[in-house]
Amino acid sequence: MWNSLTQQRYYTPEEYLELEEAAKYKSEYIDGQIIPMAVGTINHNQIALNLSTELNFAFKKQNYRVFMGDVRLWITQKRTYTYPDVMILVGEPEFFNNRKDIILNPQIIVEVLSKSTKGYDREDKFQAYRTISTFQEYLLIDQTRIHVEQFSKTGKKQWALREYDEEDEAIALVTVPFEISLQDLYNKVKFELVESEGESDDVEGLG
């Protein structure tokens, strides 16, 4: 899964952050390895934007915060830095080492799936996210077709799964008061773009 651009030497978290400050493109950090992230597709961007816009409007006067794409998450137990596509926080963000660009306490995480990352997002990344004490809900959104997987925490080491695959359905989040139709989530998304954009395992990282 890690592509040919993956650096093989070991980096400390501090070295990663220093390199990331100067880098032209974002990378993730997984326990000593730096993993270059891919440039997002049009569909990926559109879906994340559609969801974030609706969330931001819905939470305008409520005690929730929405972050999209550029805010870094530190997963302490897995020694991992990642950039989730969308994060929802209850209350104020908890910052790592007082850095205002690194947070610790998302309640809901959303990833828009890519061909080369969907297995990682469902398995290793989900496993890492589950070590975060505040994490309660996970959405995986397919950009190649209408399909969403919603995982919600029901107890210690227990998660429920619900799937959505019809345009007239609506997704209701379990842990915050929010609902969005699949029609709105996929607004302006053109599935035929996926092939024309040439998404490939050879050029994508883990983002």
Side-chain angles (χ1 to χ4, degrees):
M1 179 171 302
W2 295 346
N3 63 30
S4 59
L5 296 177
T6 303
Q7 302 297 312
Q8 296 303 311
R9 62 156 284 195
Y10 175 87
Y11 292 87
T12 66
E14 293 74 22
E15 287 175 321
Y16 159 77
L17 290 174
E18 185 176 348
L19 290 168
E20 194 73 350
E21 291 291 335
K24 293 182 179 179
Y25 303 102
K26 291 187 296 185
S27 296
E28 295 187 340
Y29 175 87
I30 303 176
D31 195 21
Q33 292 189 300
I34 294 177
I35 316 296
M37 293 176 63
V39 176
T41 64
I42 290 176
N43 279 357
H44 186 288
N45 183 267
Q46 186 68 61
I47 291 167
L49 179 61
N50 288 345
L51 179 59
S52 296
T53 300
E54 295 286 342
L55 284 165
N56 197 49
F57 180 78
F59 295 153
K60 186 175 181 181
K61 295 183 179 180
Q62 299 189 52
N63 193 29
Y64 303 108
R65 299 287 299 272
V66 180
F67 297 105
M68 178 182 169
D70 291 327
V71 177
R72 196 180 296 113
L73 171 65
W74 171 242
I75 308 172
T76 305
Q77 290 190 36
K78 295 295 184 179
R79 290 173 51 82
T80 293
Y81 280 110
T82 185
Y83 293 89
D85 290 322
V86 180
M87 290 186 286
I88 303 170
L89 282 67
V90 177
E92 293 300 315
E94 296 176 12
F95 297 111
F96 179 63
N97 285 346
N98 293 317
R99 287 190 54 133
K100 299 300 189 282
D101 59 343
I102 304 173
I103 66 168
L104 298 167
N105 62 323
Q107 177 161 312
I108 299 172
I109 296 175
V110 181
E111 297 286 4
V112 180
L113 299 177
S114 303
K115 282 196 301 184
S116 62
T117 67
K118 58 186 178 182
Y120 172 63
D121 288 337
R122 286 195 183 98
E123 296 173 14
D124 291 354
K125 186 175 271 189
F126 187 20
Q127 185 180 53
Y129 287 158
R130 293 199 301 269
T131 67
I132 301 170
S133 62
T134 56
F135 179 55
Q136 300 286 320
E137 196 164 353
Y138 193 36
L139 286 185
L140 295 171
I141 305 173
D142 200 320
Q143 64 171 299
T144 67
R145 61 189 174 118
I146 294 177
H147 187 255
V148 180
E149 296 164 275
Q150 178 186 31
F151 295 88
S152 55
K153 191 171 185 178
T154 58
K156 186 177 181 180
K157 299 182 181 180
Q158 294 181 326
W159 291 76
L161 167 64
R162 181 171 178 181
E163 296 183 75
Y164 304 83
D165 58 7
E166 297 178 16
E167 193 171 316
D168 60 354
E169 289 184 290
I171 301 169
L173 296 182
V174 175
T175 57
V176 298
F178 175 80
E179 184 174 301
I180 185 172
S181 69
L182 267 67
Q183 188 173 22
D184 286 340
L185 180 65
Y186 284 99
N187 183 43
K188 298 183 180 178
V189 172
K190 300 184 185 301
F191 297 124
E192 63 271 17
L193 284 177
V194 175
E195 293 301 324
S196 64
E197 287 179 345
E199 186 185 32
S200 131
D201 290 355
D202 294 331
V203 297
E204 271 206 49
L206 297 178

